[in-house]
Amino acid sequence: PALIADLNERLQRGEIVSMLADRLMPGSIDKVVTVNFLGESALLPAGPFIVASLLEAPVFLIICAREDKNYKVYFEKLSDGLRLPRKTR
């Protein structure tokens, strides 16, 4: 609860909160969401999406890709805010 309160305060101040949502922690296979990614099923950790729902925060996809000797960063808004039913969060 303290972390959620801190993140909420930061968002209210207009700060950006970032969480990695592409890596599973060892032993966390029961805390995943299956999504369609590039035509295949992919497992993503549920935690960052649950936090975004609790905070009613927008969700962005951010990709950093190497192109030649440089890196490019891509941002895409996925949601203005996730609304997850409490029973199925």
Side-chain angles (χ1 to χ4, degrees):
L3 174 61
I4 298 298
D6 181 52
L7 294 175
N8 188 51
E9 288 175 17
R10 292 173 183 277
L11 290 170
Q12 295 303 315
R13 290 193 303 256
E15 296 180 26
I16 295 173
V17 173
S18 174
M19 299 177 79
L20 291 175
D22 66 339
R23 290 173 176 79
L24 299 175
M25 299 300 290
S28 67
I29 195 67
D30 60 331
K31 299 174 185 138
V32 299
V33 178
T34 303
V35 299
N36 183 0
F37 184 74
L38 300 175
E40 299 286 333
S41 291
L43 299 177
L44 297 178
F49 301 100
I50 293 170
V51 171
S53 172
L54 291 171
L55 298 174
E56 298 179 0
V59 177
F60 289 83
L61 171 67
I62 303 170
I63 297 174
C64 181
R66 186 172 184 171
E67 293 184 7
D68 297 319
K69 295 182 180 181
N70 299 309
Y71 289 90
K72 285 199 172 184
V73 180
Y74 300 90
F75 294 85
E76 182 175 332
K77 186 181 238 181
L78 297 181
S79 170
D80 286 321
L82 301 173
R83 309 288 183 259
L84 301 176
R86 187 173 182 89
K87 287 184 178 182
T88 58
R89 263 198 290 236

